[in-house]
Amino acid sequence: MPPLSANRISGDLVEYLADSKPHPARVHSLFTRAFNLKVADGCLVSGTNSRGYIAPMGFSFQSLLTSGWPFSLDQELILHPGGVCSASGELLIDFSNAAIWNPSLATIFLPLEKQERSLQLLTRILEGSQNGIFTPLLPGIFGEELPSDLPLHAAFIAPRVFSFLGHLANSEWQAAALDSEGLIGFGSGLTPSADDFLAAILGLYTALPLDEKENKAGFSLVAERILELAPARTSLVSAEMLRHAANGRLPSPHQSLLAALDSGSVFEVEEAARAVLNVGVNSGGDFLFGLLAGLVLMAEPKLVLCDQIKEIDQC
């Protein structure tokens, strides 16, 4: 059987493999359209044949497979600059013709008029979506009363979510870092809902210029606390997602959405937002919720979320 040919490879993976040393790895997880390889040093590398999707430290294929992946769960493999080999040296995945994709977010600048249009559009898209455990909390990020019939998961996590956002809004970094401890790993799936929410916040704050040194240092405190606790509180895949987001790296659909927001094009924003919504069962919606919440904080940094928190705490 000829090796699979990757059509794109992430620039950070190219850099990681540039030492030309063989990197022993095991197949960590397998899915219909994706897999993850855990390298001996703890790094996670992902491959996918989902159309248009590639993740940091990952690579992608042009077309869907009909015969499945050429390896099994927990199988030992070797990664090197040319591709992925079996333990015996057989080339299974060829990187030689793969284009390099840059996973890093460019700094984005959102004038007020762009922010307002983006907020309206993302709100409309998320309101019409059933994707995301956090989606029912949408009214709360605008300071509105939450529905009385919230789903159980949303009702349980709501106080922590709005406490976290309220402390971010008021630059209360120590308190926000403390709140993040109760969010990491909350939810089901390979990337739990709260982690997708946090990844959006981390990515947005990384991409937006924080002019004041105090704000940069303050948010770094929040990010460092999340990254410190994530390995013990969530899945390896999710912990890696948070690490990448905190370092300004997001999967291609999410990266495209932030670029579209910066462009101000309504068509591009809507197209990119719907692509993000298609990621996972709840992941896309929970990421969009986090992104929208972050944009609200940027547009209205003193938005009073504390009243919402008090109302929830009294329930």
Side-chain angles (χ1 to χ4, degrees):
M1 179 179 176
L4 298 175
S5 182
N7 71 319
R8 287 194 296 172
I9 183 170
S10 179
D12 53 347
L13 179 55
V14 172
E15 184 178 348
Y16 175 76
L17 297 174
D19 57 12
S20 298
K21 297 178 182 178
H23 293 266
R26 284 183 179 272
V27 180
H28 172 271
S29 45
L30 285 173
F31 307 94
T32 304
R33 295 189 174 185
F35 58 84
N36 294 293
L37 309 178
K38 185 178 180 181
V39 188
D41 62 8
C43 176
L44 202 68
V45 174
S46 64
T48 178
N49 60 5
S50 295
R51 188 180 299 276
Y53 186 97
I54 182 173
M57 285 297 285
F59 50 90
S60 64
F61 305 93
Q62 183 67 38
S63 59
L64 299 179
L65 300 182
T66 57
S67 57
W69 302 113
F71 34 70
S72 57
L73 193 63
D74 208 38
Q75 182 176 335
E76 293 183 358
L77 302 172
I78 301 292
L79 278 133
H80 59 82
V84 180
C85 293
S86 67
S88 62
E90 178 189 3
L91 184 63
L92 302 176
I93 299 173
D94 184 4
F95 291 162
S96 61
N97 294 316
I100 297 176
W101 166 74
N102 182 4
S104 299
L105 296 169
T107 300
I108 62 175
F109 301 89
L110 294 176
L112 185 59
E113 63 274 13
K114 286 186 181 181
Q115 290 182 32
E116 291 174 349
R117 287 198 302 269
S118 298
L119 286 173
Q120 293 170 2
L121 181 55
L122 290 179
T123 301
R124 177 173 60 80
I125 291 172
L126 204 49
E127 283 177 338
S129 168
Q130 300 300 314
N131 182 313
I133 288 177
F134 282 25
T135 303
L137 303 181
L138 187 59
I141 64 176
F142 296 102
E144 300 172 7
E145 186 175 350
L146 292 176
S148 58
D149 58 346
L150 282 174
L152 182 61
H153 282 81
F156 177 83
I157 201 63
R160 184 71 68 181
V161 169
F162 290 111
S163 179
F164 176 71
L165 292 173
H167 289 132
L168 285 182
N170 292 304
S171 301
E172 295 166 349
W173 307 114
Q174 288 277 7
L178 185 63
D179 282 330
S180 73
E181 297 177 10
L183 291 169
I184 302 165
F186 176 81
S188 59
L190 202 59
T191 58
S193 293
D195 294 352
D196 292 308
F197 162 77
L198 290 172
I201 297 290
L202 290 170
L204 182 62
Y205 269 74
T206 301
L208 286 167
L210 298 179
D211 295 330
E212 300 176 18
K213 288 184 178 180
E214 181 183 347
N215 285 341
K216 287 184 179 179
F219 188 73
S220 293
L221 182 70
V222 178
E224 287 167 6
R225 188 58 175 160
I226 292 171
L227 298 190
E228 178 187 355
L229 295 178
R233 297 198 175 190
T234 191
S235 70
L236 175 61
V237 173
S238 201
E240 285 291 280
M241 173 187 71
L242 291 169
R243 182 177 68 83
H244 288 306
N247 286 284
R249 299 187 295 268
L250 290 175
S252 52
H254 308 65
Q255 183 193 66
S256 295
L257 177 55
L258 265 69
L261 289 170
D262 195 40
S263 75
S265 165
V266 172
F267 172 78
E268 290 182 11
V269 171
E270 179 158 12
E271 184 178 48
R274 296 198 182 281
V276 169
L277 274 178
N278 287 331
V279 175
V281 177
N282 290 305
S283 289
D286 292 322
F287 181 91
L288 272 189
F289 176 86
L291 185 61
L292 186 56
L295 289 171
V296 168
L297 297 186
M298 300 297 175
E300 299 289 345
K302 297 304 178 184
L303 187 67
V304 180
L305 294 168
C306 294
D307 290 341
Q308 185 71 47
I309 298 165
K310 290 174 184 175
E311 289 174 12
I312 297 168
D313 284 343
Q314 291 170 0
C315 293

